[in-house]
Amino acid sequence: MIHLTIDGEPIAVEEGTTILEAARKLHVHIPTLCYHEDQSIKAVCRICVVEVEGMRQLPTACSTPVSEGMVVRTSSPKVLKARKNVMELILARHPQDCLICAKNGHCELQKAAQDLNMNQPNRYDMKPRAQRRDLSSPCIVRDMRKCILCNRCTEMCGKVQGIEVMAKENRGFHTKVVPPFGKVLVDTSCVGCGQCAQACPVGAISIRDNTDDVYHNIAAGKYMVIQMAPSVRINLAEALGARPGTVSTGKIVHALRKIGFHRVFDSDFSADLTIMEEGTEFLHRLQNGGTLPMFTSCCPAWVKYCETYGPDMLPHLSTAKSPQQMFGSVIKTYFAQKEGLARDQICSVSVMPCTAKKFERQRPEMKDDVDIVITVQELAKMIRSAGIDFDDLDEQEFDAPFGLGSGAAQIFGITGGVMEAALRTVYEIVTGETLEEKLEFHAVRGFEGIREAVIPIGDLEVRVAIVHGLANAKKIMELVREGKANYHFIEVMSCPGGCIGGGGNPPTTRKKLEARREAIYREDRNLPIRKSHENPYIKQIYAEFLEEPMSHKAHELLHTGYVSRRDLLR
């Protein structure tokens, strides 16, 4: 153990611990901007400097390891003066439009400036970066005038997702973070996952806001229908200030009705529908010599990644639409018929943890089944704008007939969840046995980037893999190409942790993911129905409308095709 003193308090920490980490153990706050607890150390913003006895320079707390006998002062006059000077230099290049910024109230630069009591006029000339906003993507907005060159987005896009859509260009005062060759995002291989917006500490990269589209349709008198994804009930309260992992399903339903939605439905229903279609498709491929391994297709960022970087892999993708798009099809057909509504009378909205769903919605083959996609962060803003006291809301139930989902559908929100949900149904269909104690497939759970398992199902040994993070997906794709992927079924989620780590959620860290994961599995355990094929509303829609999984009608409404996007790499 290494012994040191921080602001007069002794502490012992393990060798290799940084000053920043040691200070946090003592609950001493040191401001940071480029630092992210799940990323590599960068030490480029310099806002975390501290004073160390015996050192002439002020070292950065995020990158300096502790040493035996070290004496650290984190808030001496010398330190505070240096931090304020660094902050002035950053602000001299930063627009002063905080009140209308997407990150207002949640901006790390804003918070650091407040903590440093920046209450005097800036001594440096104001020279904000002269860059245009990039509004080309349906998923995210780039406003690089606000960029502070922290490198958090480039590490997320390059290292975690393996895409490298953005990188630093030029040097010194002229440095900027941009796509290659002066392109806008829509002309690059960006998959819209939103992880760069998750990582960005300021308003340089933010979620594309579609809340005004919702208000416009309410004002136009449309019949407003909304579906809520499984992980939204886990993350929405957090976006409004609650602890990570706080479940608020009934309050969200109530809030959505107060905003103006006529019917509030649960996407857990369509997740169950997805399992019926995708699970049946998998069995058909497995038993009839179809293309294997089969990849899941419910993550739109992964689908676009496959279309762009692996169009030769498209035959391996399940043809099943995502739960969002299946629900959109059901709303504009089955539901519209039962309610006596014309298709164009309905405004079908989804609230999702995912920014890429905004791109998926507008794919031509989806036929505008979903009209608007908003994210968790956008819904949180709508609740605040409506003056709704979320904490005091009564719990309300989803509307029938799509207000019931299984535990299998609930775990769609976590990496490994789609696989486990499918296995619960496939096992019982193949064996005719009822899963009781073996209901939870722990072999497919976890946060490792690539996991694999062999699941005995009757006389079959089903070999599966679970992947999250697109850099890991690339590795699996290479194994499939080389004939080394000895799997039958592969689940891929673009975002770390799955949907609970999606780009439309509150800012994510590994610790928050763990709390959200526990909430997901707790919800599954507490639900009365835990297998998709036992959902009575699923049985009803097949009996009344879809006939059976993979029927002609089901294939027409619930399945899709894909296109090569290889030209985006040119």
Side-chain angles (χ1 to χ4, degrees), residues 346-373:
I346 298 172
C347 178
S348 176
V349 182
S350 69
V351 53
M352 294 283 147
C354 171
T355 51
K357 291 291 182 184
K358 294 174 181 281
F359 168 79
E360 179 185 47
R361 179 206 74 76
Q362 67 180 32
R363 292 176 67 112
E365 60 270 24
M366 298 305 175
K367 303 174 184 176
D368 291 324
D369 288 333
V370 176
D371 298 298
I372 304 168
V373 175

mmCIF file of all heavy atoms in Angstrom, residues 346-373:
data_model
loop_
_atom_site.group_PDB
_atom_site.id
_atom_site.type_symbol
_atom_site.label_atom_id
_atom_site.label_comp_id
_atom_site.label_asym_id
_atom_site.label_seq_id
_atom_site.Cartn_x
_atom_site.Cartn_y
_atom_site.Cartn_z
ATOM 1 N N ILE A 346 -53.336 8.219 -37.338
ATOM 2 C CA ILE A 346 -52.523 7.826 -36.180
ATOM 3 C C ILE A 346 -51.136 8.448 -36.275
ATOM 4 O O ILE A 346 -50.492 8.415 -37.325
ATOM 5 C CB ILE A 346 -52.387 6.291 -36.109
ATOM 6 C CG1 ILE A 346 -53.767 5.645 -35.938
ATOM 7 C CG2 ILE A 346 -51.459 5.873 -34.979
ATOM 8 C CD1 ILE A 346 -53.735 4.125 -36.043
ATOM 9 N N CYS A 347 -50.667 8.995 -35.168
ATOM 10 C CA CYS A 347 -49.259 9.367 -35.040
ATOM 11 C C CYS A 347 -48.625 8.356 -34.093
ATOM 12 O O CYS A 347 -48.914 8.340 -32.892
ATOM 13 C CB CYS A 347 -49.093 10.779 -34.503
ATOM 14 S SG CYS A 347 -47.359 11.259 -34.281
ATOM 15 N N SER A 348 -47.781 7.497 -34.650
ATOM 16 C CA SER A 348 -47.151 6.423 -33.882
ATOM 17 C C SER A 348 -45.770 6.881 -33.419
ATOM 18 O O SER A 348 -44.888 7.149 -34.227
ATOM 19 C CB SER A 348 -47.030 5.165 -34.752
ATOM 20 O OG SER A 348 -46.335 4.149 -34.068
ATOM 21 N N VAL A 349 -45.601 6.952 -32.112
ATOM 22 C CA VAL A 349 -44.367 7.455 -31.507
ATOM 23 C C VAL A 349 -43.730 6.345 -30.688
ATOM 24 O O VAL A 349 -44.428 5.510 -30.101
ATOM 25 C CB VAL A 349 -44.664 8.673 -30.598
ATOM 26 C CG1 VAL A 349 -43.376 9.243 -30.005
ATOM 27 C CG2 VAL A 349 -45.421 9.743 -31.371
ATOM 28 N N SER A 350 -42.429 6.321 -30.637
ATOM 29 C CA SER A 350 -41.740 5.395 -29.737
ATOM 30 C C SER A 350 -40.772 6.178 -28.866
ATOM 31 O O SER A 350 -40.159 7.150 -29.324
ATOM 32 C CB SER A 350 -40.989 4.314 -30.526
ATOM 33 O OG SER A 350 -39.899 4.862 -31.224
ATOM 34 N N VAL A 351 -40.650 5.770 -27.615
ATOM 35 C CA VAL A 351 -39.624 6.343 -26.735
ATOM 36 C C VAL A 351 -38.601 5.245 -26.475
ATOM 37 O O VAL A 351 -38.942 4.161 -26.002
ATOM 38 C CB VAL A 351 -40.219 6.923 -25.435
ATOM 39 C CG1 VAL A 351 -41.092 5.930 -24.695
ATOM 40 C CG2 VAL A 351 -39.114 7.430 -24.524
ATOM 41 N N MET A 352 -37.375 5.524 -26.833
ATOM 42 C CA MET A 352 -36.328 4.515 -26.915
ATOM 43 C C MET A 352 -35.065 4.969 -26.183
ATOM 44 O O MET A 352 -34.831 6.166 -26.012
ATOM 45 C CB MET A 352 -35.982 4.250 -28.386
ATOM 46 C CG MET A 352 -37.103 3.609 -29.185
ATOM 47 S SD MET A 352 -37.227 1.846 -28.800
ATOM 48 C CE MET A 352 -39.000 1.591 -28.969
ATOM 49 N N PRO A 353 -34.212 4.018 -25.816
ATOM 50 C CA PRO A 353 -32.910 4.365 -25.236
ATOM 51 C C PRO A 353 -31.858 4.625 -26.309
ATOM 52 O O PRO A 353 -30.699 4.879 -26.000
ATOM 53 C CB PRO A 353 -32.564 3.099 -24.447
ATOM 54 C CG PRO A 353 -33.155 1.997 -25.268
ATOM 55 C CD PRO A 353 -34.448 2.560 -25.818
ATOM 56 N N CYS A 354 -32.275 4.578 -27.569
ATOM 57 C CA CYS A 354 -31.368 4.428 -28.706
ATOM 58 C C CYS A 354 -31.540 5.553 -29.715
ATOM 59 O O CYS A 354 -32.658 5.830 -30.160
ATOM 60 C CB CYS A 354 -31.672 3.073 -29.361
ATOM 61 S SG CYS A 354 -30.847 2.766 -30.925
ATOM 62 N N THR A 355 -30.437 6.204 -30.087
ATOM 63 C CA THR A 355 -30.493 7.242 -31.116
ATOM 64 C C THR A 355 -30.608 6.641 -32.510
ATOM 65 O O THR A 355 -31.201 7.249 -33.407
ATOM 66 C CB THR A 355 -29.240 8.134 -31.051
ATOM 67 O OG1 THR A 355 -28.065 7.312 -31.060
ATOM 68 C CG2 THR A 355 -29.235 8.980 -29.789
ATOM 69 N N ALA A 356 -30.061 5.451 -32.720
ATOM 70 C CA ALA A 356 -30.102 4.822 -34.043
ATOM 71 C C ALA A 356 -31.514 4.449 -34.462
ATOM 72 O O ALA A 356 -31.783 4.241 -35.650
ATOM 73 C CB ALA A 356 -29.196 3.583 -34.076
ATOM 74 N N LYS A 357 -32.440 4.366 -33.499
ATOM 75 C CA LYS A 357 -33.832 4.097 -33.839
ATOM 76 C C LYS A 357 -34.418 5.216 -34.700
ATOM 77 O O LYS A 357 -35.362 4.997 -35.457
ATOM 78 C CB LYS A 357 -34.666 3.947 -32.562
ATOM 79 C CG LYS A 357 -34.364 2.688 -31.761
ATOM 80 C CD LYS A 357 -34.830 1.451 -32.483
ATOM 81 C CE LYS A 357 -34.578 0.200 -31.671
ATOM 82 N NZ LYS A 357 -34.945 -1.027 -32.422
ATOM 83 N N LYS A 358 -33.864 6.424 -34.592
ATOM 84 C CA LYS A 358 -34.327 7.541 -35.411
ATOM 85 C C LYS A 358 -34.002 7.287 -36.888
ATOM 86 O O LYS A 358 -34.781 7.641 -37.779
ATOM 87 C CB LYS A 358 -33.670 8.847 -34.940
ATOM 88 C CG LYS A 358 -34.092 9.288 -33.538
ATOM 89 C CD LYS A 358 -33.295 10.501 -33.077
ATOM 90 C CE LYS A 358 -33.673 10.948 -31.679
ATOM 91 N NZ LYS A 358 -34.912 11.733 -31.629
ATOM 92 N N PHE A 359 -32.846 6.668 -37.135
ATOM 93 C CA PHE A 359 -32.489 6.283 -38.510
ATOM 94 C C PHE A 359 -33.347 5.107 -38.973
ATOM 95 O O PHE A 359 -33.868 5.100 -40.092
ATOM 96 C CB PHE A 359 -31.013 5.911 -38.591
ATOM 97 C CG PHE A 359 -30.633 5.234 -39.883
ATOM 98 C CD1 PHE A 359 -30.442 5.981 -41.038
ATOM 99 C CD2 PHE A 359 -30.499 3.851 -39.956
ATOM 100 C CE1 PHE A 359 -30.118 5.350 -42.244
ATOM 101 C CE2 PHE A 359 -30.179 3.221 -41.142
ATOM 102 C CZ PHE A 359 -29.983 3.975 -42.288
ATOM 103 N N GLU A 360 -33.495 4.112 -38.105
ATOM 104 C CA GLU A 360 -34.266 2.919 -38.470
ATOM 105 C C GLU A 360 -35.689 3.297 -38.875
ATOM 106 O O GLU A 360 -36.237 2.747 -39.836
ATOM 107 C CB GLU A 360 -34.299 1.959 -37.286
ATOM 108 C CG GLU A 360 -35.092 0.684 -37.552
ATOM 109 C CD GLU A 360 -35.218 -0.192 -36.329
ATOM 110 O OE1 GLU A 360 -35.543 0.332 -35.245
ATOM 111 O OE2 GLU A 360 -35.001 -1.409 -36.444
ATOM 112 N N ARG A 361 -36.299 4.218 -38.165
ATOM 113 C CA ARG A 361 -37.676 4.633 -38.435
ATOM 114 C C ARG A 361 -37.861 5.104 -39.862
ATOM 115 O O ARG A 361 -38.893 4.862 -40.484
ATOM 116 C CB ARG A 361 -38.053 5.767 -37.461
ATOM 117 C CG ARG A 361 -39.446 6.302 -37.646
ATOM 118 C CD ARG A 361 -39.589 7.726 -37.186
ATOM 119 N NE ARG A 361 -38.973 8.680 -38.098
ATOM 120 C CZ ARG A 361 -39.484 9.066 -39.266
ATOM 121 N NH1 ARG A 361 -40.612 8.552 -39.710
ATOM 122 N NH2 ARG A 361 -38.855 9.937 -40.022
ATOM 123 N N GLN A 362 -36.839 5.786 -40.405
ATOM 124 C CA GLN A 362 -36.990 6.400 -41.725
ATOM 125 C C GLN A 362 -36.465 5.532 -42.866
ATOM 126 O O GLN A 362 -36.464 5.970 -44.023
ATOM 127 C CB GLN A 362 -36.307 7.766 -41.743
ATOM 128 C CG GLN A 362 -34.795 7.737 -41.619
ATOM 129 C CD GLN A 362 -34.203 9.133 -41.656
ATOM 130 O OE1 GLN A 362 -34.807 10.093 -41.212
ATOM 131 N NE2 GLN A 362 -33.006 9.254 -42.218
ATOM 132 N N ARG A 363 -36.043 4.310 -42.574
ATOM 133 C CA ARG A 363 -35.652 3.409 -43.660
ATOM 134 C C ARG A 363 -36.848 3.196 -44.584
ATOM 135 O O ARG A 363 -37.973 2.961 -44.116
ATOM 136 C CB ARG A 363 -35.172 2.065 -43.103
ATOM 137 C CG ARG A 363 -33.860 2.118 -42.340
ATOM 138 C CD ARG A 363 -33.519 0.761 -41.746
ATOM 139 N NE ARG A 363 -33.231 -0.206 -42.795
ATOM 140 C CZ ARG A 363 -32.024 -0.744 -43.028
ATOM 141 N NH1 ARG A 363 -30.990 -0.400 -42.284
ATOM 142 N NH2 ARG A 363 -31.860 -1.618 -43.993
ATOM 143 N N PRO A 364 -36.667 3.260 -45.907
ATOM 144 C CA PRO A 364 -37.801 3.148 -46.842
ATOM 145 C C PRO A 364 -38.623 1.883 -46.649
ATOM 146 O O PRO A 364 -39.857 1.911 -46.760
ATOM 147 C CB PRO A 364 -37.128 3.174 -48.217
ATOM 148 C CG PRO A 364 -35.831 3.871 -48.000
ATOM 149 C CD PRO A 364 -35.394 3.512 -46.615
ATOM 150 N N GLU A 365 -37.966 0.779 -46.326
ATOM 151 C CA GLU A 365 -38.688 -0.488 -46.195
ATOM 152 C C GLU A 365 -39.577 -0.530 -44.948
ATOM 153 O O GLU A 365 -40.415 -1.425 -44.818
ATOM 154 C CB GLU A 365 -37.716 -1.674 -46.186
ATOM 155 C CG GLU A 365 -36.702 -1.669 -45.068
ATOM 156 C CD GLU A 365 -35.409 -0.953 -45.421
ATOM 157 O OE1 GLU A 365 -35.435 -0.081 -46.326
ATOM 158 O OE2 GLU A 365 -34.380 -1.256 -44.798
ATOM 159 N N MET A 366 -39.407 0.436 -44.047
ATOM 160 C CA MET A 366 -40.240 0.481 -42.835
ATOM 161 C C MET A 366 -41.556 1.229 -43.053
ATOM 162 O O MET A 366 -42.418 1.249 -42.175
ATOM 163 C CB MET A 366 -39.461 1.108 -41.674
ATOM 164 C CG MET A 366 -38.219 0.332 -41.280
ATOM 165 S SD MET A 366 -38.562 -1.399 -40.888
ATOM 166 C CE MET A 366 -36.900 -2.027 -40.621
ATOM 167 N N LYS A 367 -41.708 1.879 -44.178
ATOM 168 C CA LYS A 367 -42.993 2.433 -44.643
ATOM 169 C C LYS A 367 -43.647 3.409 -43.651
ATOM 170 O O LYS A 367 -44.860 3.483 -43.552
ATOM 171 C CB LYS A 367 -43.978 1.289 -44.935
ATOM 172 C CG LYS A 367 -43.456 0.282 -45.953
ATOM 173 C CD LYS A 367 -44.400 -0.903 -46.094
ATOM 174 C CE LYS A 367 -43.833 -1.949 -47.043
ATOM 175 N NZ LYS A 367 -44.691 -3.152 -47.125
ATOM 176 N N ASP A 368 -42.831 4.151 -42.913
ATOM 177 C CA ASP A 368 -43.365 5.127 -41.954
ATOM 178 C C ASP A 368 -44.317 4.500 -40.938
ATOM 179 O O ASP A 368 -45.273 5.136 -40.490
ATOM 180 C CB ASP A 368 -44.066 6.291 -42.671
ATOM 181 C CG ASP A 368 -43.090 7.172 -43.431
ATOM 182 O OD1 ASP A 368 -41.970 7.354 -42.930
ATOM 183 O OD2 ASP A 368 -43.447 7.663 -44.504
ATOM 184 N N ASP A 369 -44.052 3.254 -40.560
ATOM 185 C CA ASP A 369 -44.882 2.612 -39.539
ATOM 186 C C ASP A 369 -44.730 3.306 -38.189
ATOM 187 O O ASP A 369 -45.654 3.340 -37.387
ATOM 188 C CB ASP A 369 -44.514 1.133 -39.409
ATOM 189 C CG ASP A 369 -44.992 0.313 -40.602
ATOM 190 O OD1 ASP A 369 -45.993 0.716 -41.226
ATOM 191 O OD2 ASP A 369 -44.377 -0.722 -40.907
ATOM 192 N N VAL A 370 -43.538 3.823 -37.940
ATOM 193 C CA VAL A 370 -43.289 4.646 -36.758
ATOM 194 C C VAL A 370 -43.028 6.062 -37.252
ATOM 195 O O VAL A 370 -42.154 6.287 -38.086
ATOM 196 C CB VAL A 370 -42.088 4.122 -35.941
ATOM 197 C CG1 VAL A 370 -41.786 5.048 -34.767
ATOM 198 C CG2 VAL A 370 -42.347 2.700 -35.450
ATOM 199 N N ASP A 371 -43.790 7.016 -36.756
ATOM 200 C CA ASP A 371 -43.703 8.390 -37.259
ATOM 201 C C ASP A 371 -42.621 9.218 -36.574
ATOM 202 O O ASP A 371 -41.979 10.051 -37.203
ATOM 203 C CB ASP A 371 -45.050 9.093 -37.090
ATOM 204 C CG ASP A 371 -46.150 8.418 -37.895
ATOM 205 O OD1 ASP A 371 -46.025 8.382 -39.133
ATOM 206 O OD2 ASP A 371 -47.117 7.908 -37.288
ATOM 207 N N ILE A 372 -42.436 9.019 -35.284
ATOM 208 C CA ILE A 372 -41.483 9.823 -34.513
ATOM 209 C C ILE A 372 -40.799 8.930 -33.484
ATOM 210 O O ILE A 372 -41.443 8.088 -32.856
ATOM 211 C CB ILE A 372 -42.184 10.991 -33.776
ATOM 212 C CG1 ILE A 372 -42.972 11.875 -34.733
ATOM 213 C CG2 ILE A 372 -41.169 11.840 -32.995
ATOM 214 C CD1 ILE A 372 -43.909 12.856 -34.041
ATOM 215 N N VAL A 373 -39.501 9.128 -33.308
ATOM 216 C CA VAL A 373 -38.756 8.462 -32.242
ATOM 217 C C VAL A 373 -38.179 9.527 -31.321
ATOM 218 O O VAL A 373 -37.514 10.461 -31.783
ATOM 219 C CB VAL A 373 -37.619 7.582 -32.796
ATOM 220 C CG1 VAL A 373 -36.786 6.997 -31.648
ATOM 221 C CG2 VAL A 373 -38.163 6.478 -33.678
#
